[in-house]
Every structure is written in C-alpha cells, then in structure tokens.
Amino acid sequence: MPQPDENNLIDAVIAAIQDRKGRGITLIDMSGLDVSSATHYVICSGNTPTQVAAIADCVRGQVQEKTGQKPFNYDGYRNSTWIVIDYGYLMVHVFVPEARNFYDIEQLWSDGVITTVDDLD
C-alpha cells in the first residue's frame, strides 16, 4: 500500500491529468512485486501531441505546487507522442492513443494491481 506522501503524489498527478482532460487514466501498483524499479505507474492518453505535452506540463507544475516534488527526469517532448515523467517510485506515462496501443504497457505490467480512473466529462 502506498505511504501517505505517495498517495498525495498520486492524487496530485491524477488531478493534473484530469485538469487537462487526459483520458483512460490507469494506476498500476507494483509495490508487491520485486520486478520493477518503480512501485507505481500512472498511464493516460491525450488526443494529440499538443495535448500530451500540455498534460505533462500540468503534471509537473501542479505536482510541484501541491507536493513540493520535482521529477528526477522527464523525456519525450521532442515529438510528444509518449512523455514519461520520473518521480522515483512513481512513473507517469502520457501517450497519444496510437502509441499507447502499440506499446501496451498495461499488459507488460499486468502482474501489478491495476486500477482505472473514470474519465471526467
């Protein structure tokens, strides 16, 4: 189970994604397994590369504002079809739908506990 500060980070990430109309939010909890460097993953989609970059920017900004945490690293802004934000124990993946379907990382990490978050309309 996530620690309280982990829950705050996860909640801040999800709120930021929803703020920019990210869709298909999935949380994968890998904390019960010894096979992953991160214990939690949040995955979502944006409709276009522009929206993917906006979601990633919002995550970085709102998480720092709400929790004081900056990512260790982030990558993917060059073409913005898949941006990853690394918070150490939490990795955030923002995809365009085609890239998300192609890489299918939910299937890759299907040993974890997968929770879906309802889209806001």
Side-chain angles (χ1 to χ4, degrees), residues 91-109:
M91 301 290 284
V92 181
H93 296 269
V94 187
F95 289 97
V96 293
E98 299 80 12
R100 185 173 181 174
N101 290 335
F102 180 80
Y103 291 105
D104 195 15
I105 59 176
E106 287 95 338
Q107 178 61 35
L108 178 67
W109 297 320

Side-chain angles (χ1 to χ4, degrees), residues 12-23:
V13 166
I14 290 172
I17 291 168
Q18 290 173 329
D19 191 48
R20 291 295 179 264
K21 310 290 189 228
R23 315 266 311 156

Side-chain angles (χ1 to χ4, degrees), residues 34-102:
D34 291 333
V35 297
S36 178
S37 59
T39 58
H40 293 83
Y41 296 85
V42 175
I43 304 158
C44 72
S45 299
N47 292 322
T48 64
T50 301
Q51 186 184 17
V52 166
I55 292 167
D57 286 344
C58 190
V59 167
R60 291 173 40 228
Q62 284 191 19
V63 164
Q64 185 173 352
E65 181 181 306
K66 291 178 180 178
T67 70
Q69 292 186 313
K70 293 182 183 180
F72 291 110
N73 204 353
Y74 50 88
D75 193 23
Y77 277 92
R78 175 169 280 165
N79 58 18
S80 297
T81 57
W82 176 9
I83 295 176
V84 61
I85 307 168
D86 178 0
Y87 287 99
Y89 58 84
L90 173 66
M91 301 290 284
V92 181
H93 296 269
V94 187
F95 289 97
V96 293
E98 299 80 12
R100 185 173 181 174
N101 290 335
F102 180 80

